[in-house]
Amino acid sequence: MDLFDSIVESEQRDVQLAPGAMLLAGFARPLEAALIEAVAAIIARAPFRHLVTPGGHRMSVAMTNCGRVGWVSDRTGYRYDTNDPDSGLPWPSMPETFADLALRAADGAGFADFRPDACLINRYEPGAKLSLHQDKDELDFNAPIVSVSLGLPATFLFGGLNRNDKTTRYRLAHGDVVVWGGSARLAYHGVMPLADGEHPLLGNQRINLTFRKTR
């Protein structure tokens, strides 16, 4: 049985994924230079790394963080921490450009006054993927998730509140932003293996910024 709908192309138009979930096509493109520069400054202080899940699996997606806290994973579990476990230092602060983008995108999707305190920065290289999961390590589920795509296009999976619910595939291009909250806040979502390619600004990779309010 096919659990997937056909891929939804989102270029040049916004798409409602579900009540409370919206794809804002190209929303971040006007800020692409500032966002890429900010990412470079962050990874100079807190480099990308491949985290290990509690079950011992090495994640194919490399990641780092900025903000008051950062999301980390190891054999002891998933959690938010104020310090980078690799350096022992606080995570780099969240750039104003990041926070302002997240605020405006959330507002555009119907969620006013979103003030994230964490930004997860993921790097996808060809073949990297993210299995279906819920974002549920936060203490405040009233705030939405704001996810920004930069670089190579990706196929984003968005489903329901149960892992076995039908999942629709959405093509996310450079500058697209997805916001989900309200009744969709705990929807299962993921990313299919990244296809090979070359982006004119970021080369052979996709960078994803995921903004969250953890408390």
Side-chain angles (χ1 to χ4, degrees):
M1 178 179 179
D2 185 5
L3 295 179
F4 298 101
D5 292 333
S6 59
I7 293 178
V8 175
E9 297 287 348
S10 63
E11 291 188 28
Q12 305 303 318
R13 62 188 179 91
D14 296 342
V15 177
Q16 185 179 52
L17 282 59
M22 182 70 68
L23 194 170
L24 305 175
F27 190 89
R29 287 202 67 172
L31 296 172
E32 61 184 17
L35 296 175
I36 293 170
E37 181 180 358
V39 169
I42 291 166
I43 62 176
R45 293 182 51 196
F48 284 118
R49 75 291 307 267
H50 292 270
L51 300 179
V52 175
T53 68
H57 172 70
R58 179 181 181 270
M59 296 179 64
S60 64
V61 176
M63 74 168 301
T64 188
N65 299 274
C66 69
R68 183 186 65 82
V69 293
W71 187 86
V72 297
S73 172
D74 55 29
R75 289 185 177 273
T76 66
Y78 304 116
R79 64 189 181 280
Y80 285 98
D81 201 313
T82 56
N83 290 352
D84 179 347
D86 285 5
S87 67
L89 299 174
W91 295 104
S93 59
M94 188 182 302
E96 289 186 14
T97 305
F98 279 24
D100 180 66
L101 171 61
L103 174 67
R104 291 190 299 107
D107 186 65
F111 300 97
D113 200 30
F114 176 54
R115 306 289 178 178
D117 59 358
C119 176
L120 286 59
I121 307 173
N122 294 324
R123 182 187 68 196
Y124 292 76
E125 295 179 314
K129 64 180 182 178
L130 199 60
S131 299
L132 283 177
H133 66 284
Q134 296 170 300
D135 292 334
K136 57 182 181 180
D137 295 320
E138 300 74 33
L139 297 179
D140 183 3
F141 291 157
N142 292 314
I145 302 291
V146 174
S147 177
V148 180
S149 293
L150 300 171
L152 290 177
T155 300
F156 180 62
L157 308 175
F158 196 81
L161 300 181
N162 300 298
R163 183 181 294 276
N164 293 329
D165 289 346
K166 178 174 284 191
T167 304
T168 303
R169 295 175 285 185
Y170 297 89
R171 183 183 185 275
L172 299 184
H174 175 74
D176 287 351
V177 179
V178 180
V179 182
W180 63 96
S183 61
R185 173 58 180 78
L186 291 176
Y188 276 88
H189 58 282
V191 177
M192 295 185 69
L194 189 71
D196 199 3
E198 190 74 17
H199 188 269
L201 296 178
L202 286 168
N204 193 224
Q205 63 179 338
R206 171 184 184 249
I207 301 295
N208 174 235
L209 312 175
T210 302
F211 297 94
R212 305 180 184 181
K213 186 175 184 296
T214 66
R215 67 178 186 181

